Amino acid sequence: MQAEITPSVAGAATKAKLLASALAAAWFLSYCDRVNLSVAAIAMQAEFGWTETTKGWVMGSVFVGYIASQLAGGALVLRFGAVSVVSLGVIGFSVATLATPAAASHSLTLLITVRIILGAFEGVVIPATYSLVGSWAGANERARLIAIVASGATLGAPGGLMASGFLAASVGWQAVFYVFGGLGFVWSLLWIVVAGKDMQRKPSTSGQESSRPKRAAGARASLQRFLTHPALWAAAAAKFGLNWIVYVFIAWLPSYYSAMQGAAITTSAVLSALPWISMTLMLHMSALRADRMLVSGIDPTLVRKIMQSIGIGGGVVFLLLAPFATSPLLAVTFTCAATGFLAFCFSGADAAMLDMAVRYRGLVGGFANALGNFPGIIAIPLIGWSIDATGSYSAGFVCSAVVGLASLGMWLRYGTAKQIFE
């Protein structure tokens, strides 16, 4: 069994930032492998004769595996250590990415199966990340480490979209998957260099982040208490609302710019990247602000609720304005503003999940992300259906706003940044 990384005081900050940056690279590749289909699907739809609804199901299928593997990932972290689980996840989703073109050429069923497998390997990386980040920093620094890791996702979305647009237009849609799949193996070699020593450590007995489940009677985090605690469900609801809006943007922005704004495939990919660059910038600004609020003595729960309110509130306003855009420039402005505000949520409920537990951070993160990622299965195909039914993106954007506000209400009522699990 391996243990989690618990840095010593000397050099801990540098070590934490280095490993967080490595995790950010893993998240970058994960999101590239997720969004590349959003661009490639435009050409694949023409080649294979998909409807918008079918395209939605193909793009959303990755979340079936992604959701199903979250709790399993938390259990694997306790058994084998988070460092090893991250390695397993990246290698697995890279293999699935490489297999995507062959699967698509064979049948729709096989393509969806491969995408589900890809999502399953991506899913185990998430609870491992929460476990590692929680062990690397104190409460007043976690938002900044989360911002570093999450930057991989927010840069992976635009990076994947722009690179996929270029590859699909100049080489062919198949190249999109071969390039990103190969990069996953390069990352795996670098991860062994950066974190390899930590993969060989003995199980920790410090109680801070032990990978071996404690078997003593009366353990505070019983399964029943874990599953029935309202704060856990509030965190899952907050993740659900955020992801509903984010995944709608990830999956449908290229098609939105192409169909509604008349942008070519390469232009559509570039325009779709800009909102995620905006989110990346705001991630670090909001994280720095949240950590400073904590240092100044403001109640942690209040800080997390303020950040979540700013994120969802601002995101919803500009999400509702997006369908009224009369030009690509105005559409980009509205969507950039929406994703910029949504970045505040990573210093809200996401950071609070690290505050809610110590040894079981992986399980808390896995549970919240499992439920919180159902929008990948529901929202993406639903938008496709609404487009086929109405010929417009407006209904889907309004629905997304309603879901986001409902999730915020749940978080404000039951959310907390106090430790409630071991």
Side-chain angles (χ1 to χ4, degrees):
M1 299 185 209
Q2 288 88 17
E4 315 307 345
I5 303 166
T6 306
S8 61
V9 174
T14 301
K15 177 74 170 179
K17 289 179 180 179
L18 174 62
L19 291 169
S21 298
L23 279 180
W27 279 40
F28 179 91
L29 292 173
S30 175
Y31 270 72
C32 284
D33 290 345
R34 197 178 308 177
V35 305
N36 56 18
L37 186 62
S38 300
V39 175
I42 298 174
M44 295 168 75
Q45 181 179 21
E47 180 174 336
F48 300 118
W50 296 342
T51 65
E52 293 294 334
T53 303
T54 300
K55 186 168 72 171
W57 281 113
V58 172
M59 291 191 294
S61 60
V62 66
F63 294 98
V64 175
Y66 189 74
I67 291 169
S69 66
Q70 294 279 335
L71 282 177
L76 288 172
V77 167
L78 290 173
R79 177 65 177 83
F80 298 105
V83 173
S84 298
V85 173
V86 170
S87 300
L88 170 68
V90 175
I91 292 172
F93 70 65
S94 298
V95 171
T97 300
L98 289 170
T100 299
S105 298
H106 185 275
S107 68
L108 180 63
T109 300
L110 184 59
L111 172 61
I112 290 176
T113 300
V114 168
R115 295 296 291 180
I116 291 173
I117 293 172
L118 184 150
F121 280 105
E122 287 188 339
V124 301
V125 175
I126 305 304
T129 297
Y130 278 96
S131 181
L132 289 173
V133 172
S135 70
W136 292 340
N140 297 345
E141 302 169 318
R142 287 174 186 154
R144 277 170 285 178
L145 279 188
I146 290 175
I148 292 174
V149 177
S151 293
T154 56
L155 290 176
L161 289 167
M162 288 190 290
S164 296
F166 171 78
L167 289 169
S170 60
V171 183
W173 63 265
Q174 295 89 344
V176 169
F177 303 101
Y178 296 143
V179 169
F180 288 118
L183 288 174
F185 288 95
V186 175
W187 179 92
S188 299
L189 294 175
L190 295 176
W191 181 244
I192 292 174
V193 173
V194 172
K197 292 181 179 179
D198 298 293
M199 298 173 73
Q200 306 301 323
R201 290 191 175 184
K202 300 291 185 181
S204 171
T205 56
S206 66
Q208 181 68 22
E209 281 289 321
S210 173
S211 64
R212 185 190 298 274
K214 292 183 178 180
R215 304 186 184 277
R220 288 177 288 171
S222 69
L223 181 61
Q224 181 179 3
R225 182 171 180 269
F226 181 82
L227 293 177
T228 58
H229 202 290
L232 183 67
W233 289 90
K239 197 70 178 175
F240 185 97
L242 170 63
N243 284 346
W244 185 291
I245 301 174
V246 168
Y247 289 154
V248 165
F249 278 172
I250 286 176
W252 288 105
L253 274 183
S255 298
Y256 167 72
Y257 289 127
S258 177
M260 305 305 293
Q261 303 298 333
I265 184 171
T266 51
T267 303
S268 176
V270 172
L271 292 177
S272 300
L274 295 177
W276 308 111
I277 296 174
S278 170
M279 177 177 269
T280 302
L281 294 174
M282 293 306 297
L283 264 174
H284 295 279
M285 292 178 63
S286 59
L288 182 60
R289 182 57 186 163
D291 285 346
R292 285 179 176 175
M293 291 170 69
L294 291 172
V295 170
S296 69
I298 300 176
D299 178 68
T301 297
L302 179 59
V303 172
R304 304 309 184 198
K305 290 185 176 182
I306 289 174
M307 293 293 108
Q308 193 77 13
S309 298
I310 294 173
I312 294 296
V316 162
V317 168
F318 287 98
L319 173 68
L320 292 175
L321 288 173
F324 297 100
T326 56
S327 68
L329 177 60
L330 198 56
V332 168
T333 300
F334 289 154
T335 52
C336 283
T339 54
F341 275 105
L342 291 172
F344 281 77
C345 296
F346 289 93
S347 297
D350 264 57
M353 283 190 276
L354 303 182
D355 302 326
M356 289 166 58
V358 178
R359 194 162 64 96
Y360 293 106
R361 285 190 183 107
L363 288 176
V364 170
F367 179 86
N369 276 277
L371 296 185
N373 277 281
F374 269 95
I377 299 175
I378 303 169
I380 295 176
L382 180 63
I383 298 297
W385 173 83
S386 71
I387 295 169
D388 282 335
T390 68
S392 170
Y393 286 76
S394 298
F397 283 10
V398 170
C399 177
S400 300
V402 170
V403 172
L405 291 174
S407 74
L408 177 60
M410 181 75 171
W411 174 250
L412 293 178
R413 176 65 180 86
Y414 296 107
T416 185
K418 296 179 180 179
Q419 182 181 334
I420 54 178
F421 303 115
E422 184 182 356

